[in-house]
Amino acid sequence: MSTIPKSGINAKIPLLPERASITRVIQETPAVRTYRLVFDDPGMMAAFSFEPGQIGQMSILGAGESTFAISSPPSQKDYIQFSVMKTGVVTTAIHELSAGDRVAVRAPMGRPFPVNAWKGKDIVIAGGGIGMAPLRSLLMHLLDHRGDFGRIQAVYGARTPADLCFAGDREEWERRDDIEFIATVDSGHPDWSGSVGVVPGVLESMSPPPANAVAVTCGPPVMIKYTLESLEKLGFAADQVFTTLERRMKCGVGLCGRCNVGAKYVCTDGPVFSLRDLRALPDEL
Amino acid sequence: MRFIAEDAIPRLLEHLAGGGRTVWAPRVVRDSVNTVLFAPWSAGEPVETGAYTHLSAKAALLPPTERLFGFGYLQAAGEERIELEPEEPEESPVLFGARVCDARALAALDALFFPASGGFNDPGYAGRRSGLTVITLACTTCDSACFCSSFGKGPAETDGSDLILYPVANGFLAEPVTDAGSELVRLDLFQDSRLEKPELAVTARVETAGLREKFIDLFSDIDLWRQVSEKCLSCGFCAYACPACHCFNIFDEMSGDREGERCRSWDSCMFYSYTLETSGHNPRPEIAHRYRNRIGHKFSYFPANRGEILCTGCGRCIRGCPAGVDIREVIRTVQER
Ligand SMILES: Cc1cc2nc3c(=O)[nH]c(=O)nc-3n(C[C@H](O)[C@H](O)[C@H](O)COP(=O)(O)OP(=O)(O)OC[C@H]3O[C@@H](n4cnc5c(N)ncnc54)[C@H](O)[C@@H]3O)c2cc1C
Ligand code: SF4
Ligand code: SF4
Ligand code: FES
């Protein structure tokens, strides 16, 4: 049932984290900061590998541990990146960190997006808010292996232009002609010349063809709800649609019992689920 | 069979404790309310071989709060470093006076926490479990809350035990289950005996067959779950008393501002905060949602994932529930739907 992490974590003792250090902090939005970090053990860093969609647990020892999607792509061997929204105790402590500070990390965990099964297919990505973090990893991975996939269409939404993360990446995605990328905001701003409108609406206007395609969506629950409706309208079947679930987590390895939805554990059976798998779960989201 | 006299039990415990191992035994811990709990025993202390313990024996393997590792922030050559100090595994204890319902719950805990049984390497649990000796007291009587006859061989179950003691006049017949048990009965504290094994208790029964699927079918029937959990206060006692409940919380505790420890502690899915997310969203806001999860985990999810039911029919959650919730009535109501 469960996948025991094989690297980046002291697999002999799953609850014991590895020491790591922050190398860079990027202020993405007023509420979100991106942290780049490296394991203090160079051997651990060299051996670290993961797939897009996998998660990690970052600890500020003394404050606690929290779960984040890895937002860097697997090809990035110099650092691991988490993009953290400030909400509660641990994330507030994380927001006080700067380059050089010491943390502890357990990663990678969870099941990734099944990207190898998507080779040769068109890919549709719809992200909202901090839900873009795992999708950044995914999108960069797809672009690293551009020839393996068909058409790539992506929409990324936030409330206002100031709430959009990943400015540098967005510029590149907009510039490239091998991907159709639209950043959109719920409400505009005089300086904003881009799309105004919610993610599901923009997605529909891009009218991605469902034949031989998969769609991936992560974001706030309302956005997911309407995006799934839009995808259905566009003709996507439940086994063509993937999303990630969030549950409060502690152990991250299927032991503490906290993150179950029915008999499935978000930490080990997820966080990535197909819509078909989700529909088979008890309705307790 | 071998026999050990009642008055030889303290010497047996002294022998077991001889190598420095901790011996857990049922002891009266609070005279005033006659609370009997499993607790570390030391020479000279009385042991309760007749009474039921209010909580299960799981604390011997999964302490209510356990240190996972210590950590410190050190300054060296103008640089800050983190030190992590994993907890050294403890030596395996002896569990004396467990009941069949305690011993057989080990299979469920092992499936998660013990690598030899397909679980994770949980150094704390594994250290205590690897050389654990379980000496079980067979039940010749039961009370109105017991229902272990609903599961497997009921009171005659030997799973999880090394040695089973059957109460007879002035002492116990001793039946080894494992090599460790056979070794113990060779001690000269035991004598040969021609006595017959006593009749074991016959407890109440509930039908658990088909519950795994039935639960899934009835998951969305929220009125049913509200009805069966109507009296529940969400206090969490049932999880703490249960030999099979094992869910835990993890938290950090600082001592001073340079060092601290990461610990885990017993938790319960009956608590509102168990699944409360930072956004304020809670997938199980009502007691009915949480009680449903309790039943689902025990009788449907865990059996599907690990092949074990997370209930041994010990009745502790029934005896101790302050609101009178009876898990057997819940199972019967579900089965009758
Ligand atoms: C699969 C997954 C992926 C995620 N990816 C990201 C991401 O990429 N970026 C991002 O920003 N967020 C992400 N999150 C959300 C993120 O994990 C939470 O926002 C974060 O854990 C909040 O932690 P906090 O300490 O700031 O919140 P708090 O609510 O303050 O929690 C602090 C700590 O105290 C404990 N605590 C809080 N309240 C209680 C209580 N009532 N009772 C007992 N204990 C309590 C908690 O256990 C927690 O460890 C993800 C979550 C999941 C499940
Ligand atoms: S002991 Fe009784 S009241 Fe307390 S949570 Fe369990 S069922 Fe509810
Ligand atoms: S659920 Fe109740 S009866 Fe069953 S093992 Fe746990 S405490 Fe005992
Ligand atoms: S976080 Fe502990 S079981 Fe998933």
Side-chain angles (χ1 to χ4, degrees):
Chain A
M1 177 198 90
S2 42
T3 44
I4 300 179
K6 289 176 202 66
S7 65
I9 182 171
N10 191 336
K12 268 165 43 197
I13 309 179
L15 298 181
L16 185 67
E18 277 298 323
R19 292 177 293 182
S21 301
I22 307 276
T23 56
R24 195 170 159 206
V25 183
I26 303 162
Q27 182 88 41
E28 302 278 5
T29 75
V32 178
R33 285 184 186 176
T34 287
Y35 294 84
R36 292 186 177 167
L37 36 95
V38 293
F39 290 116
D40 291 354
D41 174 353
M44 185 68 69
M45 194 64 216
F48 185 78
S49 69
F50 72 99
E51 290 175 58
Q54 286 195 289
I55 52 184
Q57 299 249 15
M58 175 151 66
S59 284
I60 308 295
L61 296 168
E65 197 174 36
S66 269
T67 312
F68 305 102
I70 303 176
S71 63
S72 47
S75 61
Q76 180 49 263
K77 298 288 183 195
D78 296 339
Y79 56 82
I80 306 163
Q81 175 172 309
F82 297 121
S83 300
V84 178
M85 187 160 83
K86 182 171 168 176
T87 49
V89 176
V90 178
T91 50
T92 299
I94 291 174
H95 270 241
E96 263 144 41
L97 297 175
S98 37
D101 281 345
R102 309 294 188 168
V103 294
V105 170
R106 297 190 290 137
M109 299 184 201
R111 276 188 214 275
F113 296 113
V115 276
N116 289 331
W118 296 349
K119 284 191 178 151
K121 291 182 189 290
D122 294 346
I123 315 281
V124 179
I125 290 176
I130 194 66
M132 196 60 199
L135 297 179
R136 175 186 189 266
S137 174
L138 174 64
L139 191 48
M140 293 176 82
H141 180 77
L142 298 178
L143 294 175
D144 281 337
H145 303 268
R146 185 64 193 89
D148 289 348
F149 302 94
R151 188 172 170 190
I152 299 177
Q153 295 172 287
V155 49
Y156 166 36
R159 271 183 306 131
T160 72
D163 297 313
L164 284 165
C165 297
F166 312 129
D169 304 316
R170 281 188 282 122
E171 263 169 48
E172 188 198 327
W173 299 334
E174 268 157 6
R175 203 174 48 235
R176 284 177 77 136
D177 54 13
D178 56 354
I179 147 173
E180 296 152 60
F181 173 80
I182 298 179
T184 185
V185 293
D186 297 351
S187 50
H189 184 276
D191 298 339
W192 177 254
S193 55
S195 159
V196 176
V198 294
V199 166
V202 175
L203 179 67
E204 284 184 39
S205 71
M206 293 170 96
S207 56
N212 196 32
V214 294
V216 193
T217 179
C218 303
V222 246
M223 187 211 96
I224 301 252
K225 180 167 178 269
Y226 290 109
T227 301
L228 294 180
E229 284 178 16
S230 295
L231 286 167
E232 200 171 353
K233 227 187 287 176
L234 289 162
F236 281 78
D239 59 355
Q240 291 176 282
V241 177
F242 293 80
T243 185
T244 58
L245 287 188
E246 270 196 25
R247 273 277 154 136
R248 189 151 160 188
M249 285 187 185
K250 283 289 175 182
C251 71
V253 294
L255 202 50
C256 76
R258 188 166 307 264
C259 68
N260 74 300
V261 182
K264 300 286 180 197
Y265 285 97
V266 172
C267 65
T268 49
D269 299 307
V272 173
F273 290 91
S274 73
L275 184 55
R276 189 191 50 196
D277 293 344
L278 273 191
R279 290 201 171 136
L281 291 180
D283 181 16
E284 195 180 49
L285 300 175
Chain B
M1 222 185 271
R2 301 282 275 173
F3 170 88
I4 182 166
E6 174 105 53
D7 57 15
I9 293 291
R11 271 178 290 146
L12 174 64
L13 298 188
E14 275 163 36
H15 169 81
L16 291 165
R21 291 168 81 187
T22 305
V23 175
W24 288 69
R27 294 180 37 217
V28 178
V29 293
R30 218 171 296 135
D31 273 324
S32 54
V33 284
N34 197 28
T35 303
V36 182
L37 293 180
F38 286 95
W41 170 90
S42 38
E45 285 174 333
V47 169
E48 248 338 293
T49 52
Y52 294 110
T53 54
H54 290 75
L55 303 182
S56 78
K58 75 178 167 195
L61 287 161
L62 284 176
T65 297
E66 175 176 10
R67 186 177 135 119
L68 297 170
F69 57 85
F71 57 81
Y73 291 92
L74 306 182
Q75 294 290 344
E79 264 209 9
E80 189 178 72
R81 284 172 43 78
I82 290 177
E83 281 299 314
L84 294 175
E85 182 204 325
E87 193 66 357
E88 286 297 321
E90 288 168 28
E91 216 196 317
S92 305
V94 176
L95 182 52
F96 175 84
R99 298 286 169 170
V100 161
C101 52
D102 289 306
R104 68 178 303 169
L106 293 176
L109 301 181
D110 288 351
L112 278 177
F113 294 96
F114 200 39
S117 305
F120 290 91
N121 181 22
D122 190 85
Y125 182 91
R128 288 179 285 263
R129 178 67 175 108
S130 51
L132 178 76
T133 308
V134 181
I135 301 174
T136 300
L137 283 171
C139 293
T140 49
T141 60
C142 62
D143 77 2
S144 63
C146 295
F147 65 109
C148 70
S149 296
S150 311
F151 306 94
K153 292 184 245 158
E157 186 60 68
T158 57
D159 262 14
S161 302
D162 292 296
L163 177 66
I164 302 196
L165 299 180
Y166 297 90
V168 289
N170 305 320
F172 303 90
L173 283 178
E175 182 176 56
V177 180
T178 64
D179 291 347
S182 305
E183 208 169 297
L184 282 174
V185 297
R186 285 200 283 272
L187 294 171
D188 23 331
L189 294 167
F190 293 83
Q191 304 116 46
D192 285 329
S193 163
R194 311 182 58 120
L195 285 173
E196 293 280 313
K197 270 209 277 185
E199 286 278 317
L200 294 177
V202 179
T203 74
R205 289 186 60 105
V206 294
E207 189 52 71
T208 55
L211 207 47
R212 192 198 287 191
E213 299 77 21
K214 188 102 197 208
F215 173 84
I216 300 294
D217 292 343
L218 292 171
F219 185 91
S220 306
D221 186 352
I222 189 65
D223 290 337
L224 167 70
W225 301 107
R226 286 189 184 130
Q227 178 201 325
V228 298
S229 64
E230 195 185 5
K231 292 183 285 183
C232 173
L233 309 165
S234 206
C235 72
F237 170 82
C238 46
Y240 291 178
C242 179
C245 276
H246 55 263
C247 294
F248 59 84
N249 192 12
I250 299 178
F251 60 92
D252 290 359
E253 197 84 69
M254 293 297 285
S255 39
D257 59 358
R258 307 305 299 161
E259 57 184 43
E261 52 192 19
R262 177 158 295 168
C263 302
R264 71 167 161 208
S265 61
W266 291 357
D267 206 343
S268 168
C269 62
M270 291 310 303
F271 295 141
Y272 179 79
S273 60
Y274 187 75
T275 47
L276 178 64
E277 290 165 20
T278 317
S279 62
H281 172 67
N282 193 337
R284 298 185 201 129
E286 281 183 44
I287 290 177
H289 298 138
R290 305 199 284 279
Y291 196 80
R292 174 175 66 187
N293 185 70
R294 178 170 176 75
I295 298 296
H297 192 204
K298 288 188 175 299
F299 297 99
S300 185
Y301 310 153
F302 203 79
N305 288 335
R306 304 269 173 178
E308 300 280 342
I309 289 181
L310 282 181
C311 174
T312 63
C314 76
R316 289 189 179 92
C317 60
I318 302 168
R319 283 178 214 109
C321 175
V325 176
D326 186 332
I327 195 167
R328 296 168 303 184
E329 284 170 29
V330 176
I331 297 168
R332 289 191 188 112
T333 309
V334 169
Q335 291 285 37
E336 278 160 21
R337 270 307 149 102

